[in-house]
Amino acid sequence: MPSTVVHAGFALLLAAGLLGAYYDRRALAVLLVVLVLPEADSFLGVVMEGAHRTVGHNFVFPAVAALALYYDTRVRERSWVRERLSPRWVAVAWVALFVHGFAHVALDWTHLDGVNAFWPLRDRFFSLDGEILYSTADGFVQTFVDVRIDPETGSRTIDAGAGGTSESVHVNNPVQPRDPDLDVEEPVDRRFPVANAGWRLYLIGLGLFALGARRLQGDGVGDDG
């Protein structure tokens, strides 16, 4: 699965593109803390089946937070957030939500069993897996969403990468390196991945390059706040 270091590489790219003049060490520190928080659901696995990739890895919580932030800062006549935070930190809050959603949850959505995307509204894992191409033999082909039509009833069945539930899916992690329901006598191997694929190592390097490039531009990482 993508490691926290890979997520951080992606987060640095998003920060470089979205923070603008607010890009500095303190903003980056906040974003990296937000980036790491979803992994805390690994520790909940001892009290809740399938907690990892469920509690901290869904699109419901960031969507609710984004709607609440939008309503408070754009709709209400008197904003509770703006009264307590400067425009700079309101902008950082928005970027933090994007980092959480795109640099962490969405990235995990593309690997292994995916994420429990709509939890707690619906307990079902979804994985973004497939391809889109144009073939001279088959024409336009996409396999991310599979639509099947019953020839007898005409009813449609849509499969968008749905998998198991939190009770049946276990994604190995350093806290729970294997499914607790398995009776295995082999020694426990706790792995802390950094880059277990070439494109992930590339993404880490690209994020670090963006960090260095912003610094060399003169308006990059500073200590203003």
Side-chain angles (χ1 to χ4, degrees):
M1 63 182 179
S3 70
T4 302
V5 183
V6 173
H7 289 300
F10 196 6
L12 290 175
L13 291 177
L14 289 177
L18 298 175
L19 280 176
Y22 301 136
Y23 189 93
D24 65 14
R25 288 190 180 92
R26 292 204 293 171
L28 286 179
V30 171
L31 296 185
L32 292 177
V33 169
V34 171
L35 183 79
V36 172
L37 281 178
E39 298 297 353
D41 63 12
S42 301
F43 298 95
L44 297 177
V46 296
V47 295
M48 173 185 170
E49 288 186 325
H52 184 47
R53 294 282 187 97
T54 293
V55 179
H57 293 71
N58 60 75
F59 296 111
V60 175
F61 291 163
V64 170
L67 287 173
L69 185 59
Y70 178 83
Y71 174 76
D72 183 82
T73 58
R74 300 293 182 87
V75 178
R76 293 183 64 188
E77 294 183 1
R78 184 176 180 181
S79 171
W80 184 89
V81 173
R82 291 191 185 278
E83 288 181 351
R84 290 160 176 79
L85 298 177
S86 65
R88 154 196 177 77
W89 289 109
V90 174
V92 172
W94 277 112
V95 176
L97 285 173
F98 282 114
V99 164
H100 171 79
F102 290 100
H104 202 130
V105 180
L107 197 57
D108 282 341
W109 182 26
T110 66
H111 190 65
L112 294 177
D113 293 290
V115 297
N116 208 331
F118 303 108
W119 189 88
L121 302 180
R122 183 185 181 189
D123 185 7
R124 178 70 61 183
F125 276 75
F126 288 87
S127 176
L128 185 64
D129 184 24
E131 62 179 353
I132 297 177
L133 59 91
Y134 176 78
S135 166
T136 56
D138 301 320
F140 178 80
V141 177
Q142 75 81 26
T143 59
F144 289 100
V145 179
D146 183 21
V147 180
R148 300 176 184 176
I149 301 178
D150 190 320
E152 296 182 358
T153 64
S155 61
R156 294 185 178 183
T157 302
I158 300 177
D159 180 8
T165 68
S166 58
E167 293 183 355
S168 61
V169 174
H170 174 78
V171 180
N172 294 342
N173 58 83
V175 179
Q176 288 186 306
R178 61 190 179 203
D179 192 333
D181 293 332
L182 295 178
D183 186 12
V184 181
E185 296 183 357
E186 297 178 357
V188 174
D189 181 13
R190 300 183 187 274
R191 297 192 176 189
F192 299 83
V194 175
N196 51 6
W199 70 267
R200 292 170 185 163
L201 181 60
Y202 170 77
L203 188 57
I204 294 171
L206 191 60
L208 293 175
F209 171 80
L211 178 68
R214 282 300 302 266
R215 189 180 185 93
L216 292 174
Q217 285 177 333
D219 62 341
V221 181
D223 294 309
D224 298 335

